[in-house]
Amino acid sequence: MENKVKGVFHCDYLIKEFEDIKRHLEAFKKLKKNWNSYGAKPIDPKAIELAEITAIYIIDYLVNCESYCIAPTAEGGVAIQIDLDCGIDESDKYCPRLKKLLLIEIYKDEIKIFLFDDIRKESKMETFAQMISLFEIKKYLEDFFEL
């Protein structure tokens, strides 16, 4: 019985989390040209749709990471950033926190994935066509979380 209750709680939590994500994405639809005062494009509805599908598919990763953020991009897309705390680098007195970062940028016609083994330097970048499978995105997340 304990597992059933825990499972129900987890499911309710995921639903609430996804509802929050959807609210953010809906707000992006209202952004007009130059929404950031630096000439940003409005967010493309197709990019918002793809971001919602991606978020549904990766929701377990989002709620189990150190932190994540979903934000509009100035180029008219949606970014999903996932941070993972990896400890402290005692030798770096200015930026001692080691963090891995995965950034998914979703546009109407492409999805870009950026992987940083250490936020202080870019370690790998991949760009995919729009039709990247969700399985491929999940594979990057599994590698990122070292599952």
Side-chain angles (χ1 to χ4, degrees), residues 45-103:
K46 181 68 174 170
I48 293 172
E49 181 183 328
L50 288 171
E52 185 175 322
I53 292 167
T54 303
I56 289 170
Y57 193 71
I58 65 171
I59 192 77
D60 270 336
Y61 293 98
L62 297 178
V63 297
N64 288 308
C65 66
E66 298 296 323
S67 65
Y68 76 91
C69 174
I70 297 178
T73 70
E75 297 81 24
V78 176
I80 301 173
Q81 177 179 315
I82 302 170
D83 299 322
L84 189 62
D85 195 343
C86 298
I88 302 284
D89 178 359
E90 302 277 340
S91 67
D92 189 338
K93 63 182 178 182
Y94 299 107
C95 188
R97 177 78 44 208
L98 292 173
K99 285 190 180 267
K100 287 171 64 174
L101 183 140
L102 183 135
L103 179 63

